[in-house]
Amino acid sequence: MGLEIAFWVLAVVAIAAALAVVTLRNVFRAALSLILCFLAVAGIFVTLSADFLAAVQILIYVGAIAVLIILAIMLTREVERGSLSNKLVVPVLISAILFFGVATFAMLNTSWPVVSLPPAEPTTALLASKLFGEDGFILTVEIAAILLLATIIGAITIVREK
Amino acid sequence: MAILSASPNSFSQLAVLSSDWPGGFWLHWVFFTVIILAFVLNTALIFIWLERRALGRLQVRLGPNRVGPFGLLQPIADVLKLLTKEDMIPAKGDKLVFWLAPLVAFVPVLMIFAVIPFQSGALLADLNIGILYVVAISSVAAVGVFMAGWASNNKYSLIGAMRDVAMLISYEIPIVLSIVGVVLITGSLSLTEIVGAQQNIPFILLQPLGFLIFFLGSLAESNRTPFDLVEADSELVAGYHIEYSGMKFATLFLAEYAEVIAMSALMTTLFLGGWQGPLLPPIIWFLTKVFAVFLLIVWIRSTIPRLRIDQVMAFAWKFLLPLALINLLITSLQIVFWPEASPWLIVFLNLVAMAVLVLSWSRFFRLGGERIEV
């Protein structure tokens, strides 16, 4: 019962914040709504007993990505009125509705496997053995690390003075 | 000093209760929320008084000594003054964001205390991911500072907020890497287990370089003096809270002191053995260590002048980050290849490694073509 109330409150907050991100003219407020949306998603992770995922969601999305977005917004003009010369409302609306339809169709027609076991208590050890242990996803982790390293080197090359 | 006299009683009451604790989830929650609020508010008042008195002594002057015995009532007089001040909002600012910013800055810092053990089992929530939770939550506070700086519609406050976020992103990395060293030795992210693992040797001896990096990093994150260019009076007048007055300013000020308390409590928990200690009751040991760390911070404030922004950035990326990585490498090598070594030998080796690394790295550390030596 408590979990359901928590889920519905968080879901409403997340969707309202996500709508605010696209509808608000003020770009700074839109970025703040994005942070609220990320926090609500982290809350949903908590209700699903995924404590590690919730902490990482806040750490990476709120603490790093959202803060970088805000820093980037500070370097743009027309923060309070948004992009005035933008004429892409109709194409974006069409592609958004198409994406929404496809995603809803996929979600409704997938048979989601539900495990009857109770959630594991210390999630970190299980996650680590899945990621780094034998038959795990170590290759994926390494590839992601190399991708990030390449991105960092690319960024440094772009901003380096001649 | 209300908290010092009140706390042992309330905590001994808890020790009586702890046999069937948690008796009720909500009772536990309400009890510890009240304790944490009282702890943070009272300690902030005591810290403000202590800092002003200690600074006065260190600068060979008296400090506030007029209100009450030894000036003890000075912080209360300050709070009353702030509460009765006019509450002003800049006309061209973003009013909603301006109003929300102090809350967004204060609440995450308050939430850090939920996982800090004041005594064995005396904490709001013993999370499995304790220290990761602390790192995640404390990064949200930067958003509050940024909101305050932007909503004020003032270039000084915006520059202050930008500096704060830049510093926060930079110093987060060495801090987290130094915490990883502690987590590697303990084998757990839970703060209760980290304190339990320090029963014989506090981690400040096993991880001396880690403590140094964490200490300097948290000085920068909580904007204490060598790194306080967020509010550098000579350049920015006051920093991100320049337009704030009255209760909102008090909340921002409180958030800053709460962050210092949180960092002191974290250093106590991670490196100084937490509430453990001989003879005295655990809560007294905890408070003693927190106050000792805070006095060290005040001492540094009165000794070292403020750095420039480029010096601060270079220090994070060129000095703290490489040393944190080397510290992590040394620690993991010791754990993988030498797990049954005597801890005192490791202590000796790590102290020598810290001295060699800090001294030699400071020879490489260049800034604007000049070499900086210890």
Side-chain angles (χ1 to χ4, degrees):
Chain A
M1 189 59 202
L3 276 181
E4 277 197 3
I5 296 173
F7 170 78
W8 283 108
V9 169
L10 289 167
V12 168
V13 168
I15 290 176
L19 281 176
V21 174
V22 276
T23 48
L24 281 178
R25 280 261 162 228
N26 188 327
V27 191
F28 187 76
R29 284 195 179 186
L32 292 180
S33 313
L34 188 65
I35 292 176
L36 184 62
C37 180
F38 287 152
L39 286 175
V41 173
I44 290 179
F45 283 147
V46 170
T47 63
L48 295 173
S49 308
D51 48 1
F52 181 78
L53 215 54
V56 169
Q57 163 88 8
I58 293 179
L59 183 63
I60 293 178
Y61 283 90
V62 178
I65 292 184
V67 167
L68 285 180
I69 288 176
I70 292 179
L71 268 181
I73 287 173
M74 289 296 117
L75 303 175
T76 59
R77 290 187 296 163
E78 304 290 356
V79 171
E80 282 168 37
R81 284 181 294 168
S83 175
L84 295 175
S85 58
N86 196 330
K87 300 273 186 292
L88 293 172
V89 176
V90 177
V92 165
L93 191 67
I94 293 170
S95 46
I97 288 173
L98 278 178
F99 177 74
F100 181 72
V102 170
T104 318
F105 180 78
M107 269 188 265
L108 291 180
N109 287 289
T110 311
S111 60
W112 297 97
V114 178
V115 185
S116 55
L117 293 171
E121 195 29 56
T123 49
T124 40
L126 279 173
L127 264 176
S129 59
K130 201 74 188 158
L131 281 179
F132 302 110
E134 284 178 46
D135 307 325
F137 297 99
I138 185 70
L139 185 66
T140 329
V141 175
E142 297 282 344
I143 289 174
I146 290 174
L147 185 71
L148 284 174
L149 184 66
T151 324
I152 292 171
I153 293 173
I156 291 173
T157 319
I158 290 171
V159 299
R160 202 176 51 155
E161 290 172 37
K162 292 277 157 25
Chain B
M1 291 293 204
I3 185 82
L4 281 180
S5 54
S7 291
N9 290 329
S10 45
F11 275 99
S12 61
Q13 203 177 3
L14 175 78
V16 175
L17 281 171
S18 69
S19 55
D20 57 341
W21 204 259
F25 173 79
W26 292 108
L27 188 65
H28 180 88
W29 195 86
V30 168
F31 182 79
F32 274 104
T33 310
V34 171
I35 290 254
I36 286 170
L37 265 175
F39 173 76
V40 172
L41 293 177
N42 284 305
T43 319
L45 288 183
I46 297 167
F47 271 21
I48 291 169
W49 175 81
L50 200 64
E51 173 158 19
R52 295 182 65 182
R53 288 290 287 189
L55 264 186
R57 287 291 162 190
L58 287 164
Q59 295 168 347
V60 202
R61 56 188 174 82
L62 286 173
N65 64 350
R66 294 287 131 181
V67 194
F70 307 108
L72 264 174
L73 299 177
Q74 184 69 45
I76 296 169
D78 287 345
V79 170
L80 286 177
K81 179 198 76 177
L82 280 174
L83 289 184
T84 51
K85 277 209 172 179
E86 188 189 352
D87 187 23
M88 283 184 288
I89 295 177
K92 286 191 175 175
D94 191 332
K95 292 189 181 52
L96 180 68
V97 178
F98 190 83
W99 188 84
L100 275 175
L103 281 180
V104 178
F106 180 55
V107 170
V109 183
L110 200 60
M111 283 171 75
I112 293 178
F113 291 93
V115 292
I116 290 178
F118 293 86
Q119 189 175 330
S120 175
L123 70 172
L124 178 57
D126 184 14
L127 297 181
N128 288 318
I129 50 156
I131 191 65
L132 188 70
Y133 164 87
V134 170
V135 173
I137 285 290
S138 61
S139 68
V140 180
V143 179
V145 170
F146 220 121
M147 285 164 74
W150 187 79
S152 304
N153 197 23
N154 179 317
K155 60 186 168 202
Y156 295 121
S157 65
L158 190 60
I159 294 173
M162 294 273 260
R163 283 183 178 183
D164 185 56
V165 174
M167 265 163 60
L168 207 110
I169 294 174
S170 313
Y171 279 87
E172 189 103 346
I173 304 165
I175 282 189
V176 171
L177 286 175
S178 65
I179 291 175
V180 170
V182 170
V183 172
L184 273 178
I185 298 179
T186 315
S188 168
L189 292 165
S190 156
L191 286 175
T192 319
E193 288 190 29
I194 289 176
V195 173
Q198 303 177 67
Q199 204 159 21
N200 298 321
I201 304 172
F203 284 156
I204 187 175
L205 295 176
L206 277 172
Q207 286 279 305
L209 188 55
F211 176 75
L212 191 73
I213 293 164
F214 188 87
F215 183 73
L216 293 173
S218 44
L219 275 188
E221 285 224 332
S222 50
N223 307 326
R224 299 298 301 187
T225 281
F227 309 101
D228 69 339
L229 31 86
V230 171
E231 48 209 79
D233 326 43
S234 47
E235 308 160 22
L236 297 179
V237 190
Y240 62 91
H241 49 59
I242 187 167
E243 296 283 0
Y244 279 85
S245 63
M247 190 62 206
K248 296 198 191 80
F249 174 76
T251 314
L252 281 174
F253 198 67
L254 183 65
E256 226 158 76
Y257 267 88
E259 202 169 356
V260 179
I261 301 169
M263 286 303 174
S264 310
L266 271 180
M267 269 178 256
T268 304
T269 309
L270 288 175
F271 292 99
L272 300 179
W275 42 265
Q276 290 176 334
L279 296 175
L280 294 172
I283 182 68
I284 300 291
W285 271 111
F286 180 80
L287 288 176
T288 312
K289 288 170 182 175
V290 169
F291 276 76
V293 173
F294 179 70
L295 282 177
L296 184 62
I297 293 174
V298 172
W299 188 10
I300 288 176
R301 172 174 172 181
S302 67
T303 311
I304 303 176
R306 182 181 300 135
L307 300 172
R308 286 195 319 259
I309 183 77
D310 63 316
Q311 292 170 330
V312 170
M313 286 298 145
F315 185 65
W317 291 104
K318 297 183 186 167
F319 194 88
L320 288 185
L321 179 62
L323 285 193
L325 283 172
I326 294 173
N327 181 48
L328 194 58
L329 179 72
I330 294 176
T331 313
S332 28
L333 285 179
Q334 282 167 352
I335 286 171
V336 172
F337 293 110
W338 218 8
E340 65 281 327
S342 147
W344 292 107
L345 188 65
I346 301 273
V347 166
F348 176 72
L349 279 180
N350 281 355
L351 280 172
V352 171
M354 176 181 88
V356 170
L357 277 173
V358 169
L359 285 176
S360 56
W361 209 274
S362 62
R363 300 213 158 240
F364 293 125
F365 187 60
R366 281 161 191 279
L367 209 138
E370 290 172 57
R371 201 168 74 193
I372 294 174
E373 287 183 25
V374 174

